[in-house]
Structures are given as C-alpha cells and as structure tokens.
C-alpha cells in the first residue's frame, strides 16, 4: 500500500477464524492422559552431538507411556 496518499483505506486481504475451543481441547489432550485424564509427566533428553531432543510422556495415574518423539535442534 502506498503511504504517500493518506486518503487510501487499508484493504482486508485475508481473515483467519480460530476455533478457540478446539485449541483448548488440543492443549488439554497434549497435557493429559487419554485413558484416565491425569496430567502427564514429561521427560526431555537432549543429545547435542546428534542435535535431537527426545521427549517422553508418561502417566503417573495409570502408568502408561503415552508418547515418545524426537525433535531436531536448529
């Protein structure tokens, strides 16, 4: 947009609708056990040589290991 002409109105080029209920549910699902609803305990191990972080989540309530994932360091 040319700022030299101050009579021009800003144009809307895109809109984004965010479903906040879905976001809240997704965060809850990430942080709680799918079986019993207990808060998950997370453990992170960083390997600087291989440039990865291993994330493990387990439930103290029912003892289930919910996930193990690796993330690359940048």
């Amino acid at each position: 947009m040319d700022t030299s002409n101050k009579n021009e109105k800003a144009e809307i080029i895109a809109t984004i609708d965010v479903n906040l209920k879905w976001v809240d549910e997704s965060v809850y699902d990430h942080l709680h056990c799918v079986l019993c609803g207990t808060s998950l305990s997370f453990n992170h191990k960083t390997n600087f040589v291989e440039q990865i972080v291993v994330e493990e989540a387990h439930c103290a309530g029912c003892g289930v290991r919910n996930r193990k994932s690796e993330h690359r360091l940048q």
Side-chain angles (χ1 to χ4, degrees):
M1 182 164 71
D2 184 10
T3 58
S4 63
N5 185 352
K6 295 185 180 188
N7 292 329
E8 288 184 26
K9 292 184 179 180
E11 294 181 43
I12 297 174
I13 58 172
T15 60
I16 300 173
D17 294 326
V18 177
N19 184 341
L20 294 179
K21 183 179 179 186
W22 177 82
V23 172
D24 290 341
E25 289 172 355
S26 296
V27 171
Y28 183 88
D29 289 345
H30 181 74
L31 298 176
H32 293 84
C33 179
V34 296
L35 298 175
C36 69
T38 302
S39 293
L40 295 175
S41 296
F42 290 88
N43 185 26
H44 298 89
K45 295 178 184 174
T46 306
N47 183 330
F48 291 105
V49 174
E50 295 185 24
Q51 297 290 303
I52 60 170
V53 175
V54 177
E55 176 185 70
E56 295 179 334
H58 72 278
C59 176
C62 61
V64 173
R65 187 179 86 183
N66 288 40
R67 75 178 70 87
K68 179 178 179 181
S69 57
E70 293 183 1
H71 308 281
R72 300 231 23 99
L73 296 174
Q74 295 190 16

